[in-house]
Amino acid sequence: MKVAIAGTNGLAFSIAHHLSLRNYHQFVLLSRAPKPLLTARRWTVLVVDYGNEAELQYHLAGADLVISMVTGYDQLLMIDAALKAGVARFVPAEFLGISEKRPQALDRGQRLARNRLRSHVEEGMSFTLISCGIFYERFAPNGLAGVNTGNASGVNDEGDYLMNIRTMRAQIPHDSTQRPAMICMTAMEDVAKFIVAALDFLPQWPNELRVCGQRLNVSDVVRIAERLRDFQFERADHTSESLRSQLQLAAASPDPNAELRVQSLMATETGAFDFTDFNLNRMVTTVIPIPFADWLEIAWATQF
């Protein structure tokens, strides 16, 4: 099997790493620029212009599966190129959870990509959405930016989502039952392990695979961080009404990403990052995801 991975950082790197540990899957990485550190690992890195559909089609020829970390118009062109190249299945850059519950402000072309993929099913290319919830790495020192992920999202820095472990402040959105909202979370490394192990079952992949390292309410997530710091965080509890008020304040803020941070909390409140039926966990029983508390302790071990 040949896998084409569009992207080289974060999850793309982790998937490539675990593919390299297996000798029976070929893989190539698509990148906008040369990556000498990756080619030094004897990985194949193809420099591409994502705006050139013909070039993309050429580089995707022979691939059985495309896993995309690219969003927006570039991903739409890649979807069309993959179809013309005869790719059997496409995994779009959408890993958070229930996309229909996310605010439009957090959409980076994912809805258009899903619609484009659905339109190509009858033409012979299947697709699979892989939902893993919130990456643990959001709560790492430097946040997702530390693993060069979500750089265009506006909410990838340390403390941008739910809590700031360094300053010990937290935002607690409550759902419609007035209970702390639930979220699914998974370590990026574990997501990569699950995906690579699941390649053995590729013909059986449904339209959505769901994987979860741990499902917790957001108050318990913060409580784990409080134990790490041995200090009770300053908490702000939020309802849907208070979040709407926060959004109005954010709109008047000079911080261009203030609204996106509130929108992420609003998505949490509506259950956009919560799901059940972890069918990828059931499919791959050889991967045991690390609990959030254990991961967090390792991630912050040298910080305090």
Side-chain angles (χ1 to χ4, degrees):
M1 180 187 302
K2 183 177 179 181
V3 181
I5 306 167
T8 57
N9 298 318
L11 181 58
F13 178 90
S14 293
I15 292 172
H17 169 68
H18 287 285
L19 281 169
S20 72
L21 300 179
R22 298 183 171 216
N23 296 322
Y24 48 90
H25 293 311
Q26 290 181 288
F27 69 94
V28 296
L29 293 159
L30 306 186
S31 173
R32 290 185 173 89
K35 298 291 180 180
L37 293 179
L38 301 186
T39 53
R41 292 172 171 258
R42 299 183 182 274
W43 295 358
T44 301
V45 179
L46 304 177
V47 178
V48 299
D49 174 4
Y50 284 110
N52 187 326
E53 185 180 331
E55 182 181 322
L56 287 169
Q57 181 181 342
Y58 174 79
H59 286 307
L60 294 177
D64 301 288
L65 173 69
V66 173
I67 303 175
S68 173
M69 307 296 161
V70 177
T71 58
Y73 182 68
D74 289 347
Q75 179 165 235
L76 294 178
L77 284 182
M78 186 161 53
I79 289 170
D80 292 342
L83 175 70
K84 293 175 182 176
V87 172
R89 188 172 297 271
F90 195 103
V91 175
E94 183 167 348
F95 299 93
L96 286 172
I98 303 175
S99 52
E100 288 76 12
K101 292 187 178 182
R102 288 202 300 273
Q104 182 66 36
L106 298 181
D107 185 88
R108 294 159 59 206
Q110 285 95 339
R111 285 180 175 84
L112 289 174
R114 290 195 304 276
N115 290 336
R116 185 69 61 89
L117 287 165
R118 291 185 183 111
S119 73
H120 287 333
V121 170
E122 292 185 358
E123 299 175 78
M125 186 171 73
S126 301
F127 71 93
T128 296
L129 305 177
I130 298 180
S131 299
C132 59
I134 298 295
F135 285 126
Y136 286 177
E137 285 74 10
R138 277 193 178 274
F139 305 110
N142 301 315
L144 286 174
V147 287
N148 291 313
T149 297
N151 293 333
S153 69
V155 286
N156 68 327
D157 286 332
E158 180 183 323
D160 275 350
Y161 176 70
L162 201 66
M163 62 182 174
N164 189 314
I165 293 175
R166 204 176 298 274
T167 63
M168 296 181 289
R169 292 184 173 89
Q171 310 281 330
I172 312 293
H174 288 64
D175 62 21
S176 58
T177 68
Q178 304 309 310
R179 296 173 181 171
M182 301 292 297
I183 56 173
C184 291
M185 302 187 297
T186 318
M188 198 174 286
E189 188 78 1
D190 284 340
V191 175
K193 291 178 183 177
F194 273 105
I195 291 173
V196 172
L199 293 177
D200 294 341
F201 311 100
L202 184 63
Q204 304 167 33
W205 282 21
N207 283 346
E208 183 176 9
L209 286 171
R210 296 181 173 190
V211 60
C212 180
Q214 197 164 10
R215 181 174 181 258
L216 294 167
N217 73 58
V218 290
S219 182
D220 286 341
V221 172
V222 174
R223 193 169 291 117
I224 289 170
E226 288 175 332
R227 287 201 297 268
L228 174 75
R229 294 302 313 268
D230 193 25
F231 194 88
Q232 186 171 342
F233 286 14
E234 178 184 327
R235 294 180 175 221
D237 292 298
H238 289 292
T239 63
S240 58
E241 291 78 12
S242 68
L243 285 172
R244 283 195 291 269
S245 297
Q246 288 292 314
L247 188 62
Q248 290 177 339
L249 293 173
S253 168
D255 182 349
N257 296 325
E259 288 183 80
L260 292 172
R261 289 194 291 271
V262 178
Q263 292 277 12
S264 295
L265 294 176
M266 296 177 79
T268 303
E269 180 264 328
T270 60
F273 310 130
D274 182 36
F275 48 87
T276 54
D277 186 23
F278 310 139
N279 55 352
L280 184 48
N281 293 68
R282 291 198 308 273
M283 180 184 291
V284 176
T285 58
T286 55
V287 178
I288 307 300
I290 185 172
F292 179 62
D294 295 346
W295 179 90
L296 197 68
E297 185 174 350
I298 294 168
W300 286 85
T302 63
Q303 297 295 312
F304 308 119

